[in-house]
Amino acid sequence: MKRLLAVTLGILTAIGGFVDIGDIVSTSEAGARFGLSHAWVLVVGVVGICVYAEMAGRVAAVSGRPVFDLVRERLGPRVALVNLVGSYLITVATLGAEIGGVALALQLLNGAPYLVWVPLVAVVLWLALWRVRFETLERVFGLAGLALIVVLVSAFSLRPAFGTVTHLTPPAGENWPTYWFFAIALFASAMTPYEVFFFSSGGVEEHWTPRDLNVSRVNVFVGFPLGGLLAFGFLATSATVFHPLGVRVDTLGQAVLPAGLAYGQIGLALAIVGVFAATFGAAMETSLSAGYTVAQYFGWAWGKMLRPRRATRFHLVVLVSILVAVAALLTTIDPIQLTEYMLIFSAIALPLTYLPILVVANDRGYLGNKVNGRFANVLGLVYLVIVVAAAVAAIPLMVMTGMGG
């Protein structure tokens, strides 16, 4: 049973990575505008994050140290500092979007403006990270996020045109630059840097050893594909309901509406509960990831399981990150739009994240005979080429399309 429950680390990571608030809306918008023609991007993204998360988990289990710690040691403080600055800024901005996403889910439940909920959500988030056990957070929010399965089931109930999955061209009224803009955004949402930092650091927090390699791999190869399936649910339901009508999706309410159409109030309620759990889980991931990266770079004591007195600076970074995120939201910036911007900037940062992981995963000084095999290296290099291409194309496409407008 303990081994089975350990899979919830991967479930929480996958749900937070694939179906956070920005991803829900951007995936739904892609379905509304392009039908199922972006389904292939989700497959590419799932395989990519599985490839690198398996490396990150193996590094944590064998070396007993998280990826970011080894990146600084292996590649030097200057290279790691560039990675730190980029990933921290993206993570904090994403944290703001996730807190806003939880508030938007609460707004759907009672109608109060989402900004009313933002401070309360931030307080509850901090208390949960400070007082609740790591395993409890994983299991409660990872498993509660599975309520989003109702969206996936709704996709089949609404009978989407699955035959159009093979249509890899933009439909009438859309163009290639916009098509590729959404493809990069969806790919970046699957490969977001904080996912591997959180996953490897969580493995260290749970004291993984080489005997836990199978647990790590089950987390990866069950959790992340599950997250991809849930994301496909939003793509498919939106493609079925909104694409034939030519309606664009740009709100959370529209994204969960198809579940209500398929299963009435129960379906809608389950979808909202799932969104709440997924976005709160993503907020926890991003909060902790912000603290993990900074503390590991500077060599401070760190860990969710360490009391604030023993890891004061780590917990202070987490708290400051939450406060900065809340301050950004209180400027009334749209949390959904904020995350969509961060997906593009995440695409730019992807090479800085995944090249060092590939280097460390081939270092026998850290992993001994558990270094990458030939197949892992081939996949790693293929995806490195893909992330570099995405990083190069992201800004030009953002300018050309006006953020996909």
Side-chain angles (χ1 to χ4, degrees):
M1 179 60 72
K2 183 178 178 181
R3 297 278 178 174
L4 179 61
L5 290 176
V7 176
T8 53
L9 175 61
I11 293 174
L12 176 61
T13 306
I15 289 175
F18 276 92
V19 286
D20 65 9
I21 187 62
D23 299 330
I24 289 170
V25 175
S26 60
T27 305
S28 298
E29 185 177 0
R33 294 181 60 174
F34 298 92
L36 294 176
S37 64
H38 280 110
W40 66 272
V41 181
L42 297 180
V43 176
V44 172
V46 167
V47 174
I49 193 60
C50 284
V51 167
Y52 277 96
E54 190 279 329
M55 293 183 201
R58 179 160 29 96
V59 168
V62 175
S63 70
R65 297 168 64 185
V67 166
F68 201 90
D69 186 18
L70 297 184
V71 167
R72 184 186 188 281
E73 182 174 283
R74 179 67 173 77
L75 300 181
R78 292 184 179 179
V79 173
L81 181 61
V82 174
N83 195 343
L84 172 65
V85 172
S87 63
Y88 180 78
L89 292 176
I90 291 169
T91 299
V92 171
T94 306
L95 171 58
E98 304 310 336
I99 293 174
V102 177
L104 287 172
L106 292 172
Q107 180 181 15
L108 288 178
L109 288 173
N110 70 359
Y114 82 92
L115 283 174
V116 172
W117 292 104
V118 167
L120 178 61
V121 170
V123 171
V124 173
L125 173 63
W126 167 244
L127 290 175
L129 292 174
W130 186 27
R131 303 295 297 179
V132 182
R133 294 180 60 190
F134 195 84
E135 296 91 338
T136 302
L137 293 177
E138 289 175 12
R139 289 158 192 169
V140 169
F141 290 98
L143 297 177
L146 294 180
L148 288 175
I149 288 176
V150 71
V151 178
L152 181 61
V153 175
S154 298
F156 290 90
S157 297
L158 295 170
R159 298 182 180 179
F162 285 116
T164 61
V165 168
T166 58
H167 296 174
L168 306 183
T169 58
E174 300 289 353
N175 55 57
W176 280 107
T178 306
Y179 178 88
W180 283 109
F181 173 84
F182 275 93
I184 289 176
L186 294 176
F187 178 71
S189 73
M191 301 283 289
T192 307
Y194 76 81
E195 293 179 74
V196 288
F197 297 145
F198 174 81
F199 185 65
S200 67
S201 298
V204 173
E205 293 241 48
E206 295 193 340
H207 306 293
W208 283 356
T209 68
R211 289 179 298 178
D212 295 301
L213 281 174
N214 287 335
V215 172
S216 173
R217 287 165 179 157
V218 170
N219 271 281
V220 169
F221 297 120
V222 172
F224 287 104
L226 175 59
L229 278 174
L230 297 179
F232 176 76
F234 282 100
L235 183 77
T237 53
S238 185
T240 304
V241 174
F242 298 112
H243 181 60
L245 301 175
V247 175
R248 293 195 178 190
V249 173
D250 54 11
T251 69
L252 180 60
Q254 289 174 296
V256 298
L257 178 61
L261 295 177
Y263 295 108
Q265 292 184 345
I266 293 177
L268 187 60
L270 285 172
I272 294 173
V273 168
V275 168
F276 173 84
T279 51
F280 200 93
M284 291 190 300
E285 285 188 33
T286 48
S287 300
L288 290 172
S289 294
Y292 287 149
T293 54
V294 174
Q296 290 163 15
Y297 178 84
F298 289 105
W300 301 338
W302 61 271
K304 164 74 178 72
M305 296 182 181
L306 295 181
R307 294 182 179 276
R309 185 174 297 178
R310 293 184 58 197
T312 304
R313 288 174 289 192
F314 165 76
H315 286 280
L316 183 60
V317 171
V318 173
L319 176 59
V320 169
S321 300
I322 293 173
L323 292 175
V324 170
V326 170
L329 284 172
L330 294 180
T331 65
T332 70
I333 187 171
D334 185 343
I336 294 171
Q337 186 179 38
L338 176 62
T339 300
E340 290 176 342
Y341 272 105
M342 287 309 103
L343 290 177
I344 297 303
F345 289 113
S346 291
I348 299 171
L350 291 180
L352 293 174
T353 299
Y354 291 110
L355 174 59
I357 292 175
L358 186 61
V359 171
V360 170
N362 280 282
D363 193 321
R364 292 188 179 275
Y366 297 122
L367 299 185
N369 64 355
K370 300 297 184 181
V371 294
N372 281 359
R374 181 176 299 177
F375 183 64
N377 277 331
V378 168
L379 285 177
L381 288 171
V382 167
Y383 271 91
L384 191 61
V385 171
I386 295 173
V387 299
V388 169
V392 170
I395 293 297
L397 287 173
M398 183 179 72
V399 174
M400 289 172 61
T401 64
M403 280 298 294

